[in-house]
Amino acid sequence: MTTKKVAYCFAPDASSYQLSETHPMVPERVNMTHELVQNYRMFPRMTIVKPHPATEEQLKRVHLPGYIDYLKKVSPIATLGLGDLYPCLQADDCPMFTGVYDYSASIVGASIACANRINHGRSNVCINWAGGMHHAKRRVASGFCYANDIAAAILELLTCHRRVMYVDIDLHHGDGVEEYFYNTNRVMTLSFHRFGNNFFPGTGAIKNSGVGSGKDYAINVPLQKGIDDDQYIYLFKNILNKAMERFQPEALVMQMGADSVVGDLLGDFNLTNKGHASCLENALSYNLPTIVLGGGGYSVKNVARTWTLETATILGLELDNR
């Protein structure tokens, strides 16, 4: 894959909502990234895709029908008698807000569009910075994530690829994605994350490695606070290389949560955005068809800078630092 055919999937609807007035997840960060990428004149180097929202059927491939039906009906003032079934939607981390179903469908639709372009050979790298909602589970929202676009994209990739590798460098463990594929040997999940002292979500120990035919196909790299570029990149390159050698994937999905970058509102790693981007550069060096997704990131300007730099990394560009 010497010449990258890069697609940039942008769903404006995914950035037009507010979870709550004080919520740390600010979807507007995707618009800020979009404008910065545009002002660095990167759009002519990519195919710009305006994806359709996921259909109800597509959402129900990764979530229980009752949960999706609830998302369609929920509002800040109406639990419709289902609050006991889905209590997390009333919690601080996943509040109810008008439009939560459309917001979720927009994000999932963009990640599915990425997978479809990969499957049909129209692109070999596809970006959806609004995606990366790795905590959402089959029947519950979790960790600011309402619908698991990553699982939906991987399921789509599996229709044309025998093995898919998922790599997550968000600050938090990719628990939702791991749970979806914990008992299969067709998906290897590899998560680098902060761990210990009840750090959310409290999962992702080394010993958690899959079950049944998925035994040893979930790899967790638990890390302590304060890790810097040199330490992180050393671990990332060596562990990814061994995983690639063993698993021999046909496609790759990268979750690039920017909350692992120094200065994040909720984070305590010391990765620079250049160090973060170098992990993506290393992953792309394996020349696999790749989907690149966003994820966490709660210092909004940091997120926009990091994802803009990583868009340039995908395109092989050096950016002026102004």
Side-chain angles (χ1 to χ4, degrees):
M1 201 166 71
T2 53
T3 302
K4 293 188 179 74
K5 297 182 291 183
V6 179
Y8 178 95
C9 290
F10 179 66
D13 289 348
S15 304
S16 61
Y17 294 95
Q18 185 179 31
L19 277 64
S20 75
E21 290 185 2
T22 58
H23 203 285
M25 171 65 90
V26 181
E28 176 63 21
R29 68 206 174 122
V30 178
N31 271 341
M32 291 181 68
T33 304
H34 185 76
E35 291 175 7
L36 196 53
V37 169
Q38 186 176 33
N39 280 294
Y40 270 111
R41 296 179 175 85
M42 286 188 260
F43 282 179
R45 298 173 180 268
M46 302 182 284
T47 300
I48 309 302
V49 178
K50 294 182 178 179
H52 297 292
T55 64
E56 190 173 328
E57 180 182 356
Q58 288 172 325
L59 290 169
K60 288 179 178 178
R61 287 187 70 195
V62 289
H63 294 285
L64 294 184
Y67 173 64
I68 296 303
D69 292 340
Y70 180 56
L71 286 186
K72 290 181 70 175
K73 300 172 184 175
V74 75
S75 76
I77 59 173
T79 61
L80 302 163
L82 294 174
D84 291 339
L85 287 175
Y86 308 108
C88 62
L89 284 177
Q90 301 174 55
D92 291 339
D93 67 336
C94 293
M96 294 176 287
F97 63 94
T98 301
V100 64
Y101 175 85
D102 293 336
Y103 166 75
S104 302
S106 179
I107 293 171
V108 175
S111 291
I112 290 174
C114 288
N116 282 330
R117 290 191 68 88
I118 295 288
N119 283 348
H120 291 94
R122 293 196 293 271
S123 303
N124 43 35
V125 180
C126 293
I127 305 166
N128 174 23
W129 290 127
M133 301 293 105
H134 60 169
H135 295 307
K137 312 289 178 58
R138 292 184 189 277
R139 70 178 298 272
V140 293
S142 176
F144 315 159
C145 305
Y146 296 88
N148 201 311
D149 65 290
I150 307 168
I154 292 174
L155 287 176
E156 200 68 34
L157 288 174
L158 288 172
T159 64
C160 294
H161 301 83
R162 289 175 296 174
R163 294 178 299 278
V164 176
M165 177 172 280
Y166 170 70
V167 180
D168 188 321
I169 66 169
D170 193 280
L171 179 73
H172 303 88
H173 177 230
D175 59 330
V177 182
E178 180 184 273
E179 184 177 294
Y180 273 97
F181 302 107
Y182 206 56
N183 62 352
T184 179
N185 58 12
R186 294 189 65 199
V187 178
M188 177 174 277
T189 60
L190 171 56
S191 178
F192 297 80
H193 50 269
R194 175 78 160 82
F195 184 80
N197 298 321
N198 297 314
F199 193 82
F200 182 86
T203 54
I206 290 176
K207 66 180 180 180
N208 302 132
S209 59
V211 295
S213 62
K215 181 65 177 172
D216 297 327
Y217 288 87
I219 303 173
N220 286 300
V221 186
L223 304 168
Q224 298 297 308
K225 67 179 181 180
I227 191 167
D228 62 17
D229 281 358
D230 290 344
Q231 297 166 322
Y232 196 102
I233 293 166
Y234 175 82
L235 286 170
F236 182 88
K237 287 183 175 180
N238 282 282
I239 294 171
L240 180 62
N241 187 57
K242 290 294 185 183
M244 286 283 185
E245 283 181 5
R246 177 187 165 199
F247 187 55
Q248 295 291 305
E250 296 180 354
L252 176 65
V253 177
M254 294 292 299
Q255 200 270 19
M256 303 297 298
D259 47 0
S260 49
V261 173
V262 64
D264 188 79
L265 182 66
L266 302 183
D268 55 11
F269 281 179
N270 282 322
L271 274 181
T272 66
N273 55 16
K274 289 184 179 179
H276 199 265
S278 74
C279 292
L280 176 60
E281 184 176 29
N282 178 256
L284 292 172
S285 72
Y286 290 92
N287 290 323
L288 293 170
T290 303
I291 298 175
V292 180
L293 304 172
Y298 309 103
S299 296
V300 175
K301 292 179 181 178
N302 247 8
V303 176
R305 292 187 186 107
T306 300
W307 290 348
T308 299
L309 177 62
E310 288 168 348
T311 305
T313 297
I314 293 166
L315 294 170
L317 299 176
E318 293 270 343
L319 295 187
D320 188 300
N321 200 41
R322 285 179 295 175

